[in-house]
Amino acid sequence: MRNKLKYSLLLVLLCGWITPMMAQERGIKDSLGFFAKDIDYQVRAQFSIGGSSPLGMPAQIREINNYNPTLQLGLEANATKWFSDAKDWGVRIGLRFEGRGMKTDARVKNYYTQIDGGEGKYTKGYFTGNVKTTMKSSYITFPILATYKASSRWNLYGGFYVSGLIDKDFNGYVYDGVLREGNPIGSPVVFEGDGRGEYDFSEDMNRFQWGTQWGAEYKMNQNFRLFADLNWGLNSLFKKDFDAISFKMYSIYANIGFGYQF
């Protein structure tokens, strides 16, 4: 009998606590009615192909010997707020963790760069020969996109993103060539056979990047989506005072993947 009375009392107290909480929740939803309805939630997985590149091929780069986009993956969660019951127009915001990277091998002429001379010493000059570069970085990205329902199957979207660098690696080496110290007719440093001049510009990368994103998604069924989009960076990969490469480089990536909509 005492246990029954105890459980009955706990039930009454629990109901007395839940009832005002539910009323409070309904009040919050009513006050935030515009933001509490017509919202779609989605999680995504993507594969990226691209790299960091100058806009246009500089005269110093004579030939691309090899390019490898490497395996770059990303995960995203986003929410789309629609402005009508027909869901024609909306705004999408999200949070994405993504990798950006590449491996390249190029033949260059009078390519200005900086190599590590050891013991904290560096040599800057103009190199003619071959350059190998490896970039592998991770970012947390916040996209803000306008979304348009083009048909019952297709959505189009476009806007801007801001990315923060959370893991950075940009290094490589020069080989089979000659580095002229200081200027194109300076003292020569020859790299042949197994000789190489290494460099690491990881600490010179911008901590923040921003750019534009445009794409489309296809509705396979009620929940699953296929998508493809393009991310184009609008600020340089490296800091403003970085001068070990004579031209600016920008992050340009095409992404393809699938999403699940709740």
Side-chain angles (χ1 to χ4, degrees), residues 36-42 79-92 146-156 217 219 222 225 261-262:
K37 65 177 183 178
D38 295 328
I39 297 181
D40 291 335
Y41 297 96
Q42 191 179 118
T80 304
K81 167 63 182 178
W82 299 100
F83 296 128
S84 68
D85 293 336
K87 295 186 176 182
D88 293 327
W89 287 96
V91 172
R92 175 177 296 173
T147 306
Y148 172 64
K149 180 181 178 182
S151 71
S152 61
R153 290 285 187 178
W154 288 94
N155 286 340
L156 306 178
E217 63 183 11
K219 180 179 178 181
Q222 186 67 25
R225 307 288 187 268
Q261 184 163 301
F262 296 93

Side-chain angles (χ1 to χ4, degrees), residues 112-113 123-127 179-189:
Y112 186 76
T113 191
T123 301
K124 290 184 178 181
Y126 293 82
F127 178 74
L179 178 74
R180 297 280 181 173
E181 295 186 51
N183 59 68
I185 57 173
S187 300
V189 179

Side-chain angles (χ1 to χ4, degrees), residues 42-49 71-76 78 92 96-98 153-155 157 213-221 223-231 253-261:
Q42 191 179 118
V43 292
R44 289 180 160 195
Q46 69 179 37
F47 168 75
S48 302
I49 181 171
L71 182 62
Q72 304 301 324
L73 304 176
L75 293 173
E76 176 182 326
N78 63 55
R92 175 177 296 173
R96 181 167 67 242
F97 294 92
E98 60 184 334
R153 290 285 187 178
W154 288 94
N155 286 340
Y157 53 87
Q213 178 178 342
W214 301 89
E217 63 183 11
Y218 176 74
K219 180 179 178 181
M220 298 177 63
N221 54 38
N223 298 110
F224 287 96
R225 307 288 187 268
L226 294 177
F227 71 89
D229 55 42
L230 176 68
N231 291 1
Y253 288 87
N255 312 305
I256 57 174
F258 65 92
Y260 182 87
Q261 184 163 301

Side-chain angles (χ1 to χ4, degrees), residues 102-115:
M102 64 178 184
K103 290 183 178 181
T104 62
D105 187 345
R107 183 171 60 85
V108 301
K109 183 176 182 180
N110 290 333
Y111 176 82
Y112 186 76
T113 191
Q114 171 184 288
I115 62 172

